[in-house]
Amino acid sequence: MIYFDNNATTKIDERVLEEMLPYLREDYANPSSMYDFAKKPALAIKEARGKMKDFLGANNEKEIFFTSCGSESANMAIKGTLNCNKGKKHIITTKVEHPCVLNLYKSLEKEGYEADYISVDSEGQLDIDELKSKIRKDTALVSVMYANNETGVINPVEEIADIVKTKSPETIFFVDAVQAGGKIPINVKDTQIDMLGVSGHKFHAPKGVGALYIRPSVRLTPLINGGHQERGLRAGTENVPYIAGIGKAAELALNSLNYEMTEVKRLRDKLEDGILKNVFNSRLNSSLKNRVPNTSNIGFEYVEGELILLHLSDIGVCASSGSACTSGSLEPSHVLRAMGIPFTALHGSIRFSLSRFTTEKEVDYVIEKLPGIMEKLTSISPYQDELMKLKQRRG
Ligand code: PLP
């Protein structure tokens, strides 16, 4: 099995698992209990919070709150701050956010909020001027993802934070950094970002644990009411093994950032160049420059993405298509549609996402096998004339 779907989820690092096991076996005490037996789990949470503080470049571990996932972090940040700011009814986000933000915005619109969705260009780069023009004094919140999950395109969130705060100092700025964590450096303390969320399973921790950075000046209500855990902002007995796991994963990811930005990037570039050179109907679906180092989104013109995925799966390769099956029809990706990717490539777009566990051999295997698969699939495509013209054009 060759795994090129690390933006969907990642393998748990063995060292993360080792860190978690004692809290699943012998050290199972509730960390809030008074006896000595509870000290080790309580210390594990404290240490994980410190590691997460370093990972996100926060000032203080008190700014870190553990959650169950990236979606919870986004919901907690957005709903929580809007609840404390009932007078303002205008919110802004982008057209290419993850559904955990987009669908939340849609539901907020039904509750009476007015939402603006900012455009991206054909390379997936955000229209900063449009964003600037939409910020108003009654804008309660701006939410912009750090890196896009489908294309890997990075948004200049530090610059956006400055723009938001200059135009409207009271507006809250949330960053969904789920696809940036572990791939590029994050340093919230040097920015005007108010809140930023990450998810453990995207950087080799298990599924079911995330974190939210909250600047101390930000006021928000909890999503889950109950006990005093997470300083009263997220009730429920702490998930000690998973929190210990995400802490360890954050430490490891911070230590391997350099590797990610050089070696993982080299392998991604090799894979991408190999495909683009050897498959005549392929095209890159994103900016060449501003991308996280592990992601490549390639459109294969006049071929169905699901068919490509099935053929890749037959040779043991896991990747993902930009489209999701919605009620029986093949709905093309909202991200690629927002970028204006031509219809001919929209349905045949494949995301390859690597990790620090990806090997050169795996990359070489895909480069070797994909041209054969594509030859077969183009030969059965109903668009033979168009493919012929494309082949002539691209030589
Ligand atoms: N935000 C982005 C950009 C994502 O890619 C994802 C997951 O793919 C999420 C949020 C949601 O994360 P989780 O699955 O941990 O809820």
Side-chain angles (χ1 to χ4, degrees), residues 69-71 98 100 145 149 176 178-179 199 201-202:
C69 60
S71 303
H98 185 270
C100 73
M145 69 198 326
N149 44 308
D176 170 2
V178 165
Q179 293 292 347
S199 176
H201 74 103
K202 308 292 184 179

Side-chain angles (χ1 to χ4, degrees), residues 163-207:
I163 291 170
V164 171
K165 295 296 171 181
T166 306
K167 280 208 79 175
S168 172
E170 303 292 309
T171 299
I172 298 294
F173 182 44
F174 168 67
V175 173
D176 170 2
V178 165
Q179 293 292 347
K183 295 170 188 164
I184 51 173
I186 300 179
N187 217 344
V188 282
K189 69 171 169 295
D190 299 331
T191 74
Q192 299 203 69
I193 294 168
D194 289 307
M195 296 178 291
L196 178 143
V198 290
S199 176
H201 74 103
K202 308 292 184 179
F203 54 95
H204 308 290
K207 294 155 200 63

Side-chain angles (χ1 to χ4, degrees), residues 82-90 113 138 140:
L82 291 180
N83 273 340
C84 284
N85 217 340
K86 291 276 192 199
K88 295 182 179 175
K89 291 288 177 198
H90 179 236
Y113 282 89
D138 69 333

